[in-house]
Protein backbone atom coordinates (compact mmCIF):
# COMPACT_ATOMS: atom_id res chain seq x y z
CA UNK A 1 0.00 0.00 0.00
CA UNK A 2 1.32 3.46 -0.88
CA UNK A 3 2.17 5.90 1.89
CA UNK A 4 -0.70 8.19 0.77
CA UNK A 5 -3.23 5.34 0.84
CA UNK A 6 -1.97 4.34 4.27
CA UNK A 7 -2.27 7.92 5.53
CA UNK A 8 -5.81 8.17 4.12
CA UNK A 9 -6.78 4.97 5.93
CA UNK A 10 -5.27 6.23 9.16
CA UNK A 11 -7.19 9.47 8.75
CA UNK A 12 -10.46 7.63 8.14
CA UNK A 13 -9.88 5.28 11.05
CA UNK A 14 -9.46 8.26 13.39
CA UNK A 15 -12.80 9.70 12.25
CA UNK A 16 -15.78 8.79 14.47
CA UNK A 17 -18.28 9.23 11.61
CA UNK A 18 -16.33 6.69 9.52
CA UNK A 19 -16.26 4.31 12.50
CA UNK A 20 -20.03 4.60 12.97
CA UNK A 21 -20.73 4.16 9.26
CA UNK A 22 -18.63 1.00 9.22
CA UNK A 23 -19.93 -0.54 12.46
CA UNK A 24 -20.46 -4.27 11.96
CA UNK A 25 -23.97 -5.46 12.78
CA UNK A 26 -24.28 -8.71 10.79
CA UNK A 27 -22.31 -11.92 10.45
CA UNK A 28 -21.74 -11.41 6.71
CA UNK A 29 -20.11 -8.05 7.51
CA UNK A 30 -17.97 -9.75 10.14
CA UNK A 31 -16.99 -12.38 7.58
CA UNK A 32 -16.01 -9.61 5.15
CA UNK A 33 -13.98 -7.93 7.89
CA UNK A 34 -12.08 -11.14 8.60
CA UNK A 35 -11.59 -11.64 4.85
CA UNK A 36 -10.33 -14.82 3.19
CA UNK A 37 -9.32 -16.36 6.52
CA UNK A 38 -12.92 -16.44 7.82
CA UNK A 39 -13.56 -19.87 9.30
CA UNK A 40 -16.99 -21.12 8.16
CA UNK A 41 -17.52 -23.16 11.33
CA UNK A 42 -16.67 -20.18 13.51
CA UNK A 43 -19.08 -17.93 11.61
CA UNK A 44 -21.85 -20.51 12.07
CA UNK A 45 -20.97 -20.68 15.77
CA UNK A 46 -21.34 -16.89 15.98
CA UNK A 47 -24.72 -17.11 14.21
CA UNK A 48 -25.80 -19.67 16.82
CA UNK A 49 -24.55 -17.37 19.57
CA UNK A 50 -26.51 -14.43 18.21
CA UNK A 51 -29.65 -16.57 17.96
CA UNK A 52 -29.41 -17.15 21.73
CA UNK A 53 -28.36 -13.62 22.72
CA UNK A 54 -30.63 -10.90 24.11
CA UNK A 55 -28.35 -8.24 22.59
CA UNK A 56 -27.96 -7.50 18.89
CA UNK A 57 -24.45 -7.19 17.48
CA UNK A 58 -22.87 -3.82 16.78
CA UNK A 59 -19.09 -3.37 16.87
CA UNK A 60 -16.95 -0.49 15.66
CA UNK A 61 -13.93 -1.23 13.43
CA UNK A 62 -11.83 0.24 16.25
CA UNK A 63 -12.99 -2.52 18.61
CA UNK A 64 -12.67 -5.19 15.92
CA UNK A 65 -9.08 -4.04 15.52
CA UNK A 66 -8.45 -4.51 19.26
CA UNK A 67 -9.42 -8.18 19.09
CA UNK A 68 -6.58 -10.67 18.84
CA UNK A 69 -8.03 -12.83 16.06
CA UNK A 70 -5.31 -15.45 16.51
CA UNK A 71 -6.69 -16.03 20.00
CA UNK A 72 -10.33 -15.40 19.16
CA UNK A 73 -11.96 -17.75 21.68
CA UNK A 74 -9.98 -16.45 24.66
CA UNK A 75 -9.72 -12.82 23.68
CA UNK A 76 -11.10 -10.52 26.44
CA UNK A 77 -12.31 -7.90 23.98
CA UNK A 78 -14.10 -10.41 21.73
CA UNK A 79 -15.81 -11.96 24.74
CA UNK A 80 -17.59 -8.71 25.51
CA UNK A 81 -19.17 -8.23 22.09
CA UNK A 82 -19.29 -11.38 19.96
CA UNK A 83 -21.31 -14.34 21.28
CA UNK A 84 -20.31 -17.86 20.32
CA UNK A 85 -23.03 -20.51 20.47
CA UNK A 86 -20.72 -23.28 21.67
CA UNK A 87 -19.59 -21.33 24.76
CA UNK A 88 -23.07 -20.44 26.03
CA UNK A 89 -24.18 -22.28 29.16
CA UNK A 90 -27.73 -22.70 30.48
CA UNK A 91 -28.82 -19.64 32.46
CA UNK A 92 -29.25 -19.72 36.21
CA UNK A 93 -32.91 -20.53 37.07
CA UNK A 94 -33.19 -17.20 38.92
CA UNK A 95 -32.42 -15.22 35.75
CA UNK A 96 -35.19 -12.78 34.82
CA UNK A 97 -35.35 -10.20 32.05
CA UNK A 98 -34.85 -6.76 33.66
CA UNK A 99 -33.16 -8.40 36.65
CA UNK A 100 -32.83 -5.07 38.47
CA UNK A 101 -36.60 -4.46 38.14
CA UNK A 102 -35.97 -1.04 36.65
CA UNK A 103 -39.33 -0.88 34.92
CA UNK A 104 -41.13 -1.35 38.24
CA UNK A 105 -39.46 1.81 39.50
CA UNK A 106 -40.28 3.95 36.47
CA UNK A 107 -42.82 6.68 37.29
CA UNK A 108 -42.56 7.93 33.70
CA UNK A 109 -41.31 6.23 30.58
CA UNK A 110 -37.49 6.29 30.51
CA UNK A 111 -36.88 7.41 34.10
CA UNK A 112 -35.98 5.04 36.94
CA UNK A 113 -36.57 6.54 40.38
CA UNK A 114 -35.59 4.00 43.02
CA UNK A 115 -33.25 5.76 45.40
CA UNK A 116 -34.68 8.64 47.38
CA UNK A 117 -32.63 11.47 45.89
CA UNK A 118 -31.34 9.96 42.68
CA UNK A 119 -32.78 9.01 39.29
CA UNK A 120 -31.67 7.30 36.11
CA UNK A 121 -32.64 8.97 32.84
CA UNK A 122 -32.65 6.66 29.82
CA UNK A 123 -31.88 9.22 27.13
CA UNK A 124 -31.69 6.78 24.23
CA UNK A 125 -31.72 3.09 23.46
CA UNK A 126 -28.76 3.18 21.07
CA UNK A 127 -25.05 2.67 21.71
CA UNK A 128 -21.89 2.79 19.60
CA UNK A 129 -21.49 -0.94 20.34
CA UNK A 130 -23.77 -3.47 21.98
CA UNK A 131 -22.33 -5.40 24.92
CA UNK A 132 -23.43 -8.98 25.53
CA UNK A 133 -23.69 -8.41 29.27
CA UNK A 134 -25.87 -5.28 29.12
CA UNK A 135 -28.10 -4.97 32.18
CA UNK A 136 -30.65 -3.20 30.04
CA UNK A 137 -30.92 -6.02 27.49
CA UNK A 138 -34.70 -5.58 27.79
CA UNK A 139 -34.53 -2.24 26.03
CA UNK A 140 -31.16 -1.36 24.52
CA UNK A 141 -30.34 -2.00 20.87
CA UNK A 142 -32.29 -3.64 18.12
CA UNK A 143 -34.71 -6.53 18.61
CA UNK A 144 -33.13 -9.98 18.59
CA UNK A 145 -34.60 -13.38 17.87
CA UNK A 146 -35.19 -13.70 21.64
CA UNK A 147 -36.17 -10.20 22.76
CA UNK A 148 -38.53 -7.53 21.45
CA UNK A 149 -37.09 -4.40 23.00
CA UNK A 150 -38.94 -1.85 25.05
CA UNK A 151 -37.80 1.22 23.13
CA UNK A 152 -36.43 4.43 24.69
CA UNK A 153 -35.99 6.53 21.57
CA UNK A 154 -34.11 9.85 21.72
CA UNK A 155 -37.15 12.10 21.33
CA UNK A 156 -37.57 15.56 22.85
CA UNK A 157 -41.22 14.83 23.69
CA UNK A 158 -40.17 11.86 25.86
CA UNK A 159 -37.43 13.91 27.54
CA UNK A 160 -39.94 16.72 28.21
CA UNK A 161 -42.11 14.34 30.22
CA UNK A 162 -39.07 13.16 32.18
CA UNK A 163 -37.90 16.73 32.82
CA UNK A 164 -41.38 17.68 34.03
CA UNK A 165 -41.28 14.80 36.54
CA UNK A 166 -37.82 15.84 37.77
CA UNK A 167 -38.96 19.46 38.12
CA UNK A 168 -41.98 18.35 40.12
CA UNK A 169 -39.85 16.05 42.33
CA UNK A 170 -37.24 18.31 43.94
CA UNK A 171 -36.09 15.55 46.26
CA UNK A 172 -34.09 14.25 43.28
CA UNK A 173 -30.72 16.01 43.29
CA UNK A 174 -28.64 13.50 41.34
CA UNK A 175 -29.37 12.29 37.80
CA UNK A 176 -27.53 9.63 35.81
CA UNK A 177 -28.00 9.98 32.05
CA UNK A 178 -27.59 6.57 30.47
CA UNK A 179 -29.51 4.34 28.16
CA UNK A 180 -28.24 3.62 25.65
CA UNK A 181 -25.23 5.84 25.38
CA UNK A 182 -24.83 9.58 24.98
CA UNK A 183 -22.18 8.90 22.30
CA UNK A 184 -25.14 8.12 20.02
CA UNK A 185 -26.86 11.45 20.76
CA UNK A 186 -26.40 14.27 18.28
CA UNK A 187 -24.67 17.37 19.70
CA UNK A 188 -28.04 19.19 19.71
CA UNK A 189 -29.65 16.29 21.59
CA UNK A 190 -26.83 16.14 24.13
CA UNK A 191 -27.24 19.87 24.71
CA UNK A 192 -31.02 19.53 24.98
CA UNK A 193 -30.73 16.86 27.69
CA UNK A 194 -27.90 18.65 29.53
CA UNK A 195 -29.42 22.13 29.49
CA UNK A 196 -32.85 20.69 30.29
CA UNK A 197 -31.43 19.13 33.44
CA UNK A 198 -29.41 22.24 34.31
CA UNK A 199 -32.60 24.32 34.13
CA UNK A 200 -34.01 22.40 37.13
CA UNK A 201 -32.77 24.20 40.26
CA UNK A 202 -33.02 21.18 42.57
CA UNK A 203 -30.56 19.06 40.54
CA UNK A 204 -27.03 19.29 41.97
CA UNK A 205 -25.22 16.50 40.14
CA UNK A 206 -25.49 15.07 36.62
CA UNK A 207 -23.56 12.05 35.40
CA UNK A 208 -23.29 10.97 31.77
CA UNK A 209 -22.63 7.22 31.71
CA UNK A 210 -20.93 6.00 28.55
CA UNK A 211 -19.04 3.10 27.06
CA UNK A 212 -18.06 5.47 24.25
CA UNK A 213 -14.60 6.40 25.46
CA UNK A 214 -13.69 2.68 25.50
CA UNK A 215 -15.10 1.80 22.08
CA UNK A 216 -15.12 5.01 20.06
CA UNK A 217 -12.59 7.41 21.62
CA UNK A 218 -12.10 9.21 18.31
CA UNK A 219 -15.57 10.72 18.84
CA UNK A 220 -13.97 13.07 21.37
CA UNK A 221 -11.06 14.07 19.14
CA UNK A 222 -12.85 14.16 15.75
CA UNK A 223 -16.46 15.21 16.41
CA UNK A 224 -15.71 18.72 17.59
CA UNK A 225 -19.36 19.76 17.74
CA UNK A 226 -20.26 16.85 20.01
CA UNK A 227 -17.27 17.37 22.30
CA UNK A 228 -18.02 21.10 22.34
CA UNK A 229 -21.57 20.32 23.50
CA UNK A 230 -20.27 18.10 26.31
CA UNK A 231 -17.70 20.69 27.43
CA UNK A 232 -20.33 23.45 27.29
CA UNK A 233 -22.60 21.46 29.60
CA UNK A 234 -19.67 20.73 31.92
CA UNK A 235 -18.68 24.43 32.02
CA UNK A 236 -22.27 25.60 32.47
CA UNK A 237 -22.72 23.17 35.35
CA UNK A 238 -19.54 24.34 37.06
CA UNK A 239 -20.60 27.98 36.66
CA UNK A 240 -23.91 27.34 38.38
CA UNK A 241 -22.53 25.01 41.07
CA UNK A 242 -23.74 21.74 39.55
CA UNK A 243 -21.26 18.88 39.20
CA UNK A 244 -21.19 17.33 35.75
CA UNK A 245 -19.24 14.11 35.38
CA UNK A 246 -18.54 11.60 32.68
CA UNK A 247 -18.74 7.95 33.75
CA UNK A 248 -16.74 5.72 31.47
CA UNK A 249 -16.86 1.94 31.14
CA UNK A 250 -13.47 0.27 30.64
CA UNK A 251 -13.22 -3.44 31.43
CA UNK A 252 -9.73 -4.36 30.27
CA UNK A 253 -6.40 -2.50 30.07
CA UNK A 254 -6.15 -3.33 26.36
CA UNK A 255 -9.13 -1.05 25.76
CA UNK A 256 -6.81 1.87 26.53
CA UNK A 257 -4.92 2.91 23.39
CA UNK A 258 -3.27 6.02 22.00
CA UNK A 259 -6.74 7.09 20.78
CA UNK A 260 -8.07 6.76 24.34
CA UNK A 261 -5.14 8.66 25.79
CA UNK A 262 -5.65 11.55 23.33
CA UNK A 263 -9.40 11.67 24.10
CA UNK A 264 -9.00 11.45 27.88
CA UNK A 265 -6.26 14.11 27.88
CA UNK A 266 -8.49 16.43 25.87
CA UNK A 267 -11.42 15.99 28.26
CA UNK A 268 -9.19 16.39 31.32
CA UNK A 269 -7.66 19.59 29.97
CA UNK A 270 -11.12 20.96 29.26
CA UNK A 271 -12.20 20.29 32.82
CA UNK A 272 -14.49 17.26 32.38
CA UNK A 273 -14.51 15.12 35.50
CA UNK A 274 -14.26 11.38 34.75
CA UNK A 275 -14.90 8.21 36.71
CA UNK A 276 -14.95 4.61 35.53
CA UNK A 277 -17.28 1.68 36.11
CA UNK A 278 -16.08 -1.83 35.28
CA UNK A 279 -18.02 -5.07 35.00
CA UNK A 280 -16.23 -8.10 36.44
CA UNK A 281 -16.31 -10.93 33.89
CA UNK A 282 -14.72 -14.36 33.69
CA UNK A 283 -12.07 -14.47 30.98
CA UNK A 284 -12.08 -10.69 30.67
CA UNK A 285 -10.82 -9.26 33.94
CA UNK A 286 -11.27 -11.89 36.68
CA UNK A 287 -7.56 -11.69 37.39
CA UNK A 288 -6.04 -9.36 39.99
CA UNK A 289 -3.12 -8.56 37.67
CA UNK A 290 -5.45 -7.46 34.87
CA UNK A 291 -7.49 -5.38 37.32
CA UNK A 292 -4.32 -3.78 38.71
CA UNK A 293 -3.17 -2.77 35.22
CA UNK A 294 -6.61 -1.36 34.46
CA UNK A 295 -6.75 0.65 37.67
CA UNK A 296 -3.23 2.05 37.15
CA UNK A 297 -3.89 3.02 33.53
CA UNK A 298 -7.19 4.69 34.36
CA UNK A 299 -5.64 6.59 37.26
CA UNK A 300 -2.88 7.88 34.96
CA UNK A 301 -5.58 9.21 32.63
CA UNK A 302 -7.30 10.98 35.55
CA UNK A 303 -10.27 8.65 35.22
CA UNK A 304 -11.11 7.64 38.76
CA UNK A 305 -11.77 3.87 39.07
CA UNK A 306 -15.09 4.06 40.87
CA UNK A 307 -17.04 0.80 40.79
CA UNK A 308 -16.45 -2.80 39.80
CA UNK A 309 -19.81 -4.55 39.40
CA UNK A 310 -20.40 -8.25 39.52
CA UNK A 311 -22.07 -9.18 36.26
CA UNK A 312 -25.85 -8.94 36.30
CA UNK A 313 -27.95 -11.99 35.48
CA UNK A 314 -28.31 -11.55 31.73
CA UNK A 315 -29.18 -14.29 29.23
CA UNK A 316 -26.37 -15.98 27.32
CA UNK A 317 -23.52 -14.91 29.60
CA UNK A 318 -23.68 -17.36 32.50
CA UNK A 319 -20.13 -18.50 31.60
CA UNK A 320 -18.93 -14.91 32.05
CA UNK A 321 -20.32 -14.30 35.53
CA UNK A 322 -18.05 -14.59 38.58
CA UNK A 323 -18.89 -15.71 42.10
CA UNK A 324 -19.24 -13.34 45.04
CA UNK A 325 -16.29 -15.16 46.63
CA UNK A 326 -14.05 -14.42 43.65
CA UNK A 327 -15.14 -10.77 43.58
CA UNK A 328 -14.24 -10.44 47.28
CA UNK A 329 -10.85 -12.06 46.65
CA UNK A 330 -9.95 -9.79 43.72
CA UNK A 331 -11.02 -6.73 45.72
CA UNK A 332 -8.68 -7.76 48.55
CA UNK A 333 -5.80 -8.27 46.10
CA UNK A 334 -6.40 -4.85 44.59
CA UNK A 335 -6.76 -2.76 47.74
CA UNK A 336 -3.49 -1.05 48.60
CA UNK A 337 -1.90 -1.03 45.14
CA UNK A 338 -2.63 2.67 44.74
CA UNK A 339 -4.33 5.56 46.50
CA UNK A 340 -7.62 4.69 48.17
CA UNK A 341 -9.61 7.18 46.10
CA UNK A 342 -8.42 5.39 42.97
CA UNK A 343 -9.36 1.95 44.30
CA UNK A 344 -12.77 0.87 42.99
CA UNK A 345 -15.54 -0.32 45.26
CA UNK A 346 -16.68 -3.82 44.29
CA UNK A 347 -20.46 -3.99 44.28
CA UNK A 348 -23.34 -6.30 43.58
CA UNK A 349 -26.30 -4.58 41.93
CA UNK A 350 -28.84 -6.72 43.70
CA UNK A 351 -31.49 -8.40 41.56
CA UNK A 352 -34.96 -7.27 42.50
CA UNK A 353 -34.10 -3.62 43.04
CA UNK A 354 -32.03 -3.35 46.22
CA UNK A 355 -29.46 -1.24 44.42
CA UNK A 356 -25.71 -1.49 44.70
CA UNK A 357 -24.29 -3.22 47.77
CA UNK A 358 -20.62 -3.52 48.74
CA UNK A 359 -19.83 -7.08 47.68
CA UNK A 360 -18.44 -7.87 51.16
CA UNK A 361 -21.55 -6.62 52.96
CA UNK A 362 -23.72 -9.74 52.64
CA UNK A 363 -25.74 -10.85 55.65
CA UNK A 364 -25.11 -14.43 54.66
CA UNK A 365 -23.11 -16.17 51.93
CA UNK A 366 -23.30 -19.92 51.36
CA UNK A 367 -20.41 -20.91 49.11
CA UNK A 368 -21.82 -24.42 48.62
CA UNK A 369 -25.10 -23.31 47.09
CA UNK A 370 -23.63 -20.06 45.77
CA UNK A 371 -26.16 -17.70 47.27
CA UNK A 372 -25.44 -14.36 48.93
CA UNK A 373 -28.11 -12.38 50.79
CA UNK A 374 -27.95 -8.59 51.17
CA UNK A 375 -29.95 -5.98 53.00
CA UNK A 376 -30.63 -2.52 51.59
CA UNK A 377 -31.97 -0.59 54.59
CA UNK A 378 -31.96 2.78 52.85
CA UNK A 379 -33.77 1.47 49.77
CA UNK A 380 -36.22 -1.23 50.92
CA UNK A 381 -35.68 -1.82 54.63
CA UNK A 382 -37.99 -4.81 54.98
CA UNK A 383 -36.69 -6.76 52.06
CA UNK A 384 -33.72 -9.11 51.62
CA UNK A 385 -32.01 -9.42 48.25
CA UNK A 386 -30.17 -12.40 46.84
CA UNK A 387 -27.39 -12.67 44.31
CA UNK A 388 -26.37 -16.09 43.00
CA UNK A 389 -23.01 -17.40 41.88
CA UNK A 390 -22.79 -18.88 38.38
CA UNK A 391 -23.82 -22.50 38.25
CA UNK A 392 -20.51 -23.66 36.80
CA UNK A 393 -18.69 -22.43 39.92
CA UNK A 394 -20.73 -24.89 42.07
CA UNK A 395 -20.44 -28.61 42.75
CA UNK A 396 -22.44 -30.97 40.55
CA UNK A 397 -24.72 -31.68 43.50
CA UNK A 398 -25.44 -27.97 44.01
CA UNK A 399 -26.05 -27.53 40.29
CA UNK A 400 -28.54 -30.41 40.40
CA UNK A 401 -30.27 -28.82 43.39
CA UNK A 402 -30.75 -25.54 41.52
CA UNK A 403 -32.25 -27.36 38.55
CA UNK A 404 -34.93 -28.92 40.78
CA UNK A 405 -37.58 -26.24 41.48
CA UNK A 406 -38.44 -27.62 44.93
CA UNK A 407 -34.83 -27.86 46.09
CA UNK A 408 -34.08 -24.46 44.55
CA UNK A 409 -36.94 -22.89 46.43
CA UNK A 410 -35.67 -24.48 49.66
CA UNK A 411 -32.13 -23.14 49.04
CA UNK A 412 -33.63 -19.68 48.71
CA UNK A 413 -35.87 -19.85 51.76
CA UNK A 414 -33.11 -21.38 53.93
CA UNK A 415 -30.65 -18.66 52.91
CA UNK A 416 -33.19 -15.93 53.65
CA UNK A 417 -33.97 -17.45 57.03
CA UNK A 418 -30.30 -17.66 58.02
CA UNK A 419 -29.70 -14.11 56.79
CA UNK A 420 -32.66 -12.80 58.83
CA UNK A 421 -31.38 -14.56 61.92
CA UNK A 422 -27.87 -13.19 61.41
CA UNK A 423 -29.09 -9.66 60.80
CA UNK A 424 -31.07 -9.85 64.04
CA UNK A 425 -27.97 -11.07 65.88
CA UNK A 426 -29.23 -14.62 66.50
CA UNK A 427 -26.16 -16.26 64.99
S1 LIG B 1 -22.78 0.55 26.03
FE1 LIG B 1 -23.80 0.36 28.05
S2 LIG B 1 -25.99 0.55 27.61
FE2 LIG B 1 -24.93 0.11 25.66
S3 LIG B 1 -24.98 -2.09 25.42
FE3 LIG B 1 -23.06 -1.62 26.44
S4 LIG B 1 -23.53 -1.79 28.63
FE4 LIG B 1 -25.51 -1.63 27.55
Amino acid sequence: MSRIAHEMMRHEFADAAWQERHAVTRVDQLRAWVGGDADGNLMRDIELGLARAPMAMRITPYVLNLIDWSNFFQDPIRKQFIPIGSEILPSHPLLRMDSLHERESSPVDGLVHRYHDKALLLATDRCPVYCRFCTRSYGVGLDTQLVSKKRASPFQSRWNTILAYLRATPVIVDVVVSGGDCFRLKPSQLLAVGTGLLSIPSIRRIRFATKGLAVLPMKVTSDHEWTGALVNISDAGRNQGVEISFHTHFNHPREITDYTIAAAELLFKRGVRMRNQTVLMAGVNDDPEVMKQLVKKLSDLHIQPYYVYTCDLVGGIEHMRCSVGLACQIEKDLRGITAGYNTPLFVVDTPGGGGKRDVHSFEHYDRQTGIAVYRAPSVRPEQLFTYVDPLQSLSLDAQAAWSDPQRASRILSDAIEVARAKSMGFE
Side-chain angles (χ1 to χ4, degrees):
M1 188 189 299
S2 73
R3 201 172 60 81
I4 295 175
H6 187 261
E7 274 307 306
M8 273 178 65
M9 269 193 67
R10 226 162 55 96
H11 185 70
E12 282 184 329
F13 197 81
D15 176 25
W18 183 89
Q19 290 281 339
E20 299 212 37
R21 271 200 311 279
H22 291 85
V24 163
T25 57
R26 300 189 314 265
V27 175
D28 60 308
Q29 294 170 326
L30 194 61
R31 189 178 287 118
W33 172 270
V34 179
D37 294 338
D39 172 341
N41 289 334
L42 175 60
M43 293 298 147
R44 271 189 292 285
D45 210 354
I46 294 171
E47 270 165 3
L48 282 176
L50 284 168
R52 296 170 64 187
M55 295 300 292
M57 182 166 70
R58 181 182 166 89
I59 317 173
T60 52
Y62 170 74
V63 171
L64 287 172
N65 210 42
L66 292 180
I67 294 172
D68 175 1
W69 292 81
S70 66
N71 188 27
F72 186 79
F73 282 90
Q74 303 307 327
D75 186 77
I77 312 294
R78 187 285 297 172
K79 286 185 182 203
Q80 298 180 55
F81 306 106
I82 305 180
I84 295 180
S86 56
E87 72 184 359
I88 295 178
L89 298 174
S91 293
H92 196 286
L94 293 194
L95 179 137
R96 302 283 178 274
M97 189 56 78
D98 185 15
S99 70
L100 305 183
H101 291 201
E102 291 186 331
R103 284 174 292 182
E104 282 176 17
S105 304
S106 290
V108 293
D109 186 25
L111 187 87
V112 181
H113 184 195
R114 168 170 303 144
Y115 298 97
H116 186 61
D117 69 346
K118 192 179 91 175
L120 168 69
L121 190 167
L122 304 178
T124 178
D125 50 17
R126 295 155 206 183
C127 305
V129 296
Y130 293 129
C131 314
R132 298 172 67 189
F133 50 90
C134 182
T135 304
R136 231 153 272 131
S137 56
Y138 66 83
V140 166
L142 302 175
D143 289 351
T144 68
Q145 292 181 41
L146 283 186
V147 185
S148 299
K149 307 281 168 148
K150 163 95 178 66
R151 305 238 64 96
S153 303
F155 294 150
Q156 185 70 50
S157 55
R158 199 172 62 78
W159 300 333
N160 287 346
T161 310
I162 293 172
L163 293 171
Y165 177 86
L166 291 170
R167 200 177 291 280
T169 317
V171 71
I172 296 174
V173 295
D174 192 329
V175 177
V176 180
V177 180
S178 184
D181 196 307
C182 60
F183 264 56
R184 289 294 300 279
L185 294 178
K186 295 178 188 148
S188 58
Q189 294 175 319
L190 185 61
L191 271 177
V193 172
T195 52
L197 290 170
L198 282 171
S199 73
I200 300 174
S202 42
I203 293 177
R204 311 298 302 149
R205 291 175 291 282
I206 302 167
R207 297 176 255 171
F208 289 92
T210 175
K211 178 89 180 156
L213 205 59
V215 294
L216 192 63
M218 50 284 288
K219 178 95 175 163
V220 173
T221 44
S222 69
D223 189 342
H224 304 299
E225 200 186 342
W226 188 90
T227 306
L230 178 72
V231 171
N232 281 347
I233 297 165
S234 168
D235 289 346
R238 194 175 312 107
N239 288 336
Q240 65 184 72
V242 176
E243 187 199 78
I244 308 286
S245 54
F246 201 53
H247 279 206
T248 63
H249 178 177
F250 290 91
N251 292 324
H252 192 279
R254 259 181 43 212
E255 289 170 333
I256 296 171
T257 65
D258 287 348
Y259 291 102
T260 329
I261 294 168
E265 280 180 354
L266 188 155
L267 292 176
F268 179 70
K269 282 184 185 154
R270 297 187 71 179
V272 177
R273 179 167 194 169
M274 294 174 282
R275 304 188 188 97
N276 186 67
Q277 310 190 149
T278 292
V279 178
L280 177 65
M281 285 173 281
V284 176
N285 53 19
D286 61 335
D287 174 342
E289 289 309 314
V290 171
M291 254 335 158
K292 282 178 194 173
Q293 284 179 35
L294 179 61
V295 162
K296 292 267 192 194
K297 282 190 167 192
L298 289 168
S299 304
D300 288 348
L301 291 178
H302 308 293
I303 301 175
Q304 183 186 357
Y306 170 42
Y307 275 146
V308 174
Y309 290 81
T310 56
C311 210
D312 291 325
L313 275 79
V314 175
I317 58 145
E318 185 68 3
H319 63 292
M320 293 171 73
R321 293 198 306 115
C322 297
S323 68
V324 165
L326 181 60
C328 290
Q329 188 53 53
I330 295 176
E331 193 278 342
K332 282 182 196 165
D333 287 343
L334 206 57
R335 191 152 293 278
I337 61 140
T338 190
Y341 66 88
N342 272 336
T343 306
L345 183 68
F346 280 56
V347 293
V348 171
D349 210 345
T350 47
K356 289 172 265 305
R357 300 283 108 198
D358 180 332
V359 70
H360 295 279
S361 70
F362 45 77
E363 302 297 317
H364 170 61
Y365 177 36
D366 183 337
R367 287 172 189 263
Q368 302 305 314
T369 53
I371 184 163
V373 185
Y374 292 88
R375 286 180 66 228
S378 58
V379 186
R380 294 188 188 166
E382 303 308 325
Q383 209 172 323
L384 288 168
F385 297 89
T386 54
Y387 181 82
V388 282
D389 290 345
L391 291 175
Q392 75 275 9
S393 69
L394 306 177
S395 68
L396 289 178
D397 184 49
Q399 291 183 34
W402 275 113
S403 65
D404 172 346
Q406 279 189 342
R407 289 176 73 192
S409 144
R410 209 160 44 242
I411 292 173
L412 268 172
S413 56
D414 286 354
I416 296 276
E417 202 176 309
V418 174
R420 272 199 211 289
K422 282 185 176 172
S423 65
M424 292 165 75
F426 294 148
E427 258 194 46

